[in-house]
Amino acid sequence: MSFGFPWGLLALGALVPLVAAYFLRRRQKPVVVSALFLWRTPRPRAEAGPRWERFTREASLLLEALAVIAAALYLSDVRLGETARTKHLVLVVDGSLSMSARGPDGVTVLELARREAAKRVEDEAATRVTVLATGLSPRVVAGPEAEPSRALAALESFQSRGADHDPMPTLLWAQELAGAGKHVAFFTDAAPVEGLVIPAPVRWTALGTARENVAFVSAQRKDDGGTATVTLRVARFGAGPESVSVRLRALPGPDAKQGTERVEKVSLQGEGSATVRLTFQNAGDVEVSLPDDALLEDGQARLTASPTRPLAVSLAQGLGPLERDALERFLAASPDVARDGAAGETLLMGPRGTDAKVTVGATGKVRTFVGPFFSEKGHPLLDDVQLAGVRWSAGENPPGHPLVTAGDAVLVSEEDDGRLHLNVDLSRSNVQRVSAWPVLLGNVVRESRRAREGFVRRQLTLGEPLQLVTLPGKRYTLTGPSGSKPVFGAGAVSLPPPAMPGRYVLERDDAEVVDAAEVLALDARESDLRGRGRADVPARESGGDEARANASDRARWPLVLLLLALVGDFYVTRRVS
């Protein structure tokens, strides 16, 4: 047994006057009557005054004493069994990268948050603890309602390396988990901004320190054949050093026996940024780093080799000489295009009536149009396609959804499976001689490249979603620093931004590696540590909510016992009278 509010036991003091009232008899005034037979229970001996004597209503006293005890138990919030040992505490930890910053003593803000969380659990005597981490996608670190030792152990292994985000969705979620009127502890590294409305039960504790910092705010790599071009952008936040040394180390690639290491000195004026661009030959992964400062994570990056996979394009038999010549000239001038299935998937272009992915030609009666042309707004295949001044000759309308029309004629259409039809007779048109032709075909090649299996981009920064393409009927798994999880969906799939930087691998079926992407720990907003500091904003007490919460948590059986005792006392006293 335990008591949530021991002061409620003071109500037991009501037993003293209650018992005294039953033993103490007060002086009665003399009453003159003509006969005693008019009284139901006459007493021949009159009472002479106040004195103590044994009473005859023991049942009524016991019931009223029981009612006082029940009321005291309810007011003291008595707890029995499992409820006597349960006290839930919800902790929220900021999951942003700046929590990994080190103070002047070399201790990270996250480590200070761990210590404060352990102290808060001990002070609250919590028996169940839930730990949440803020982020672009809030997550559970421990719990819900885990044992304190397990919750604190999970917090010890937690790494705060997320992008800049709004913590309010996580705090509202924590408020729901804690329950009405219960407090939530939030640990971060900056005081709340002016005007921010914090939920009433949240205690905002900031443990950060304002520091100067130099960081990478952008890091990119482009591979062209055996040449890797690395572009870095370095920024200074605060009155830091006027120059900094950037170290680049290129690991040996497939055709290199040893790597290359370079050191570039970058001048930083004011609070601006500087750009560094270097090239490496036959390089594998390139590691870049800055001298150690308050935040180590934003001064290191690993750029993996990401050569562009050429798109294989084939021309089917049956194309007319003009159509074949126009397509050949475009493919000859297009970069990253391999002919006749030399690499990767094949984009087949052919005449009308074939199973080609892109069909070119016109059938039936041909009509010539000089405008106006109507295009579907926002379609990626029509980006920058200008048809002003074009003479377009088209035949029978092709199947699929119309993309470009002229009157009742469909000039370009797309089927549900992605097949594209160019309804054009090049012998009577000039579209192949204007900019609209290479732009349209370039958009077709670009979208075909995007539709290939794997990641759309292989180098991302914190906060960017993972864009990838999967094939129907296949099972995929995404493996990263935080573990593996299945990928659902077919075709273009957009996954939430990763919670942690690192290497993410897309696997198909039986652990067959399809593609890999690198997420870099770069975020200019997180690297700016000048606004960090300490603050302790207590939770706002809402008397009504807290009272209702306490009342709802109290045991109900003392109230039932109180009601039964009062009803029993009424029955006993009524029967005696």
Side-chain angles (χ1 to χ4, degrees):
M1 177 186 294
S2 65
F3 301 96
F5 184 67
W7 288 101
L9 294 177
L10 293 178
L12 294 176
L15 291 174
V16 176
L18 176 66
V19 174
Y22 270 88
F23 280 94
L24 182 62
R25 299 301 182 184
R26 299 180 61 185
R27 180 188 299 272
Q28 302 293 332
K29 294 181 179 181
V31 178
V32 179
V33 296
S34 59
L36 293 178
F37 68 89
L38 298 176
W39 296 86
R40 180 176 298 178
T41 56
R43 300 189 62 178
R45 183 168 59 90
E47 297 180 1
R51 60 186 177 182
W52 295 92
E53 65 178 21
R54 185 177 180 277
F55 62 93
T56 58
R57 295 166 57 186
E58 294 87 349
S60 177
L61 174 62
L62 292 177
L63 290 174
E64 293 177 5
L66 181 61
V68 172
I69 295 175
L73 291 178
Y74 179 77
L75 293 176
S76 61
D77 192 13
V78 65
R79 301 294 178 92
L80 299 176
E82 184 65 22
T83 58
R85 300 189 300 270
T86 301
K87 188 172 184 180
H88 185 206
L89 178 63
V90 179
L91 307 176
V92 181
V93 181
D94 192 348
S96 56
L97 181 65
S98 59
M99 291 287 289
S100 300
R102 290 159 176 77
D105 55 357
V107 180
T108 64
V109 183
L110 182 59
E111 180 59 31
L112 295 177
R114 294 190 183 109
R115 298 175 185 176
E116 185 65 22
K119 182 176 180 298
R120 202 72 60 85
V121 171
E122 182 179 359
D123 294 342
E124 296 287 341
T127 59
R128 290 290 183 268
V129 178
T130 300
V131 182
L132 305 180
T134 66
L136 297 175
S137 298
R139 55 186 176 132
V140 178
V141 177
E145 299 192 25
E147 296 180 0
S149 59
R150 293 181 179 271
L152 295 178
L155 185 57
E156 286 291 331
S157 60
F158 169 72
Q159 296 297 324
S160 181
R161 303 178 66 186
D164 181 72
H165 58 272
D166 182 11
M168 297 309 297
T170 311
L171 296 181
L172 295 176
W173 184 24
Q175 181 181 358
E176 295 180 0
L177 292 178
K182 297 301 183 63
H183 290 172
V184 174
F186 176 47
F187 304 102
T188 182
D189 61 346
V193 297
E194 186 178 356
L196 179 65
V197 179
I198 306 175
V202 175
R203 178 181 176 182
W204 186 298
T205 304
L207 304 170
T209 305
R211 300 295 304 276
E212 302 169 355
N213 189 36
V214 178
F216 291 121
V217 294
S218 176
Q220 299 177 356
R221 171 176 175 167
K222 182 179 180 181
D223 291 272
D224 186 5
T227 303
T229 303
V230 176
T231 304
L232 306 173
R233 189 161 163 253
V234 186
R236 182 179 70 175
F237 302 95
E242 295 183 356
S243 62
V244 65
S245 297
V246 180
R247 185 177 299 274
L248 301 95
R249 179 171 176 263
L251 303 179
D255 299 328
K257 295 182 180 179
Q258 60 182 6
T260 305
E261 186 169 346
R262 299 182 187 178
V263 178
E264 291 289 328
K265 195 169 185 179
V266 180
S267 177
L268 300 173
Q269 300 296 332
E271 296 181 359
S273 59
T275 302
V276 179
R277 182 177 289 106
L278 295 174
T279 58
F280 298 90
Q281 298 294 329
N282 299 324
D285 293 351
V286 178
E287 299 174 348
V288 297
S289 62
L290 293 171
D292 293 347
D293 53 10
L295 187 57
L296 302 180
E297 285 75 9
D298 62 2
Q300 302 173 356
R302 186 183 184 95
L303 305 177
T304 58
S306 55
T308 303
R309 294 178 296 173
L311 178 68
V313 180
S314 296
L315 301 181
Q317 297 294 328
L319 281 171
L322 292 178
E323 287 79 5
R324 179 174 290 274
D325 180 66
L327 294 175
E328 290 279 5
R329 284 187 288 108
F330 166 77
L331 296 177
S334 299
D336 304 324
V337 172
R339 293 299 309 280
D340 300 328
E345 301 86 355
T346 300
L347 173 63
L348 182 61
M349 297 182 176
R352 290 279 297 272
T354 63
D355 58 352
K357 186 71 173 179
V358 179
T359 64
V360 181
T363 59
K365 183 180 179 180
V366 177
R367 293 180 295 170
T368 301
F369 302 91
V370 294
F373 301 103
F374 301 94
S375 304
E376 181 175 333
K377 265 189 173 182
H379 199 283
L381 293 177
L382 302 179
D383 288 346
D384 299 326
V385 176
Q386 302 296 329
L387 297 178
V390 170
R391 185 176 69 253
W392 191 302
S393 298
E396 295 179 352
N397 290 343
H401 174 67
L403 299 182
V404 180
T405 59
D408 60 349
V410 178
L411 310 184
V412 181
S413 67
E414 183 183 28
E415 297 191 47
D416 293 338
D417 58 359
R419 295 184 63 197
L420 185 69
H421 301 285
L422 303 181
N423 182 15
V424 58
D425 183 357
L426 295 183
S427 63
R428 300 172 57 179
S429 306
N430 69 345
V431 64
Q432 72 276 19
R433 301 187 185 94
V434 298
S435 62
W437 180 255
V439 172
L440 177 59
L441 294 181
N443 293 340
V444 172
V445 172
R446 181 196 63 193
E447 294 303 314
S448 298
R449 186 178 287 114
R450 288 179 177 177
R452 290 187 301 181
E453 184 184 27
F455 291 101
V456 176
R457 294 176 52 199
R458 297 195 181 98
Q459 292 179 7
L460 303 96
T461 58
L462 282 176
E464 292 186 297
L466 284 176
Q467 305 283 348
L468 52 92
V469 177
T470 60
L471 301 178
K474 303 292 184 179
R475 293 180 301 172
Y476 292 88
T477 303
L478 182 66
T479 303
S482 56
S484 300
K485 61 179 181 180
V487 177
F488 301 101
V493 179
S494 179
L495 300 180
M500 297 179 61
R503 186 177 179 84
Y504 289 82
V505 179
L506 181 64
E507 300 176 349
R508 180 180 61 222
D509 294 337
D510 299 328
E512 179 184 355
V513 177
V514 176
D515 203 355
E518 193 77 19
V519 179
L520 306 178
L522 306 180
D523 190 334
R525 293 169 295 184
E526 290 298 307
S527 298
D528 189 355
L529 305 177
R530 293 171 294 179
R532 316 297 168 173
R534 291 179 176 266
D536 191 1
V537 181
R540 300 195 307 272
E541 299 291 345
S542 53
D545 292 342
E546 188 171 4
R548 285 191 295 270
N550 294 336
S552 63
D553 289 344
R554 295 176 186 269
R556 300 294 185 183
W557 62 267
L559 290 180
V560 177
L561 183 60
L562 171 64
L563 180 61
L564 293 177
L566 294 178
V567 172
D569 182 59
F570 174 77
Y571 176 76
V572 171
T573 56
R574 180 175 178 273
R575 184 185 59 180
V576 172
S577 62

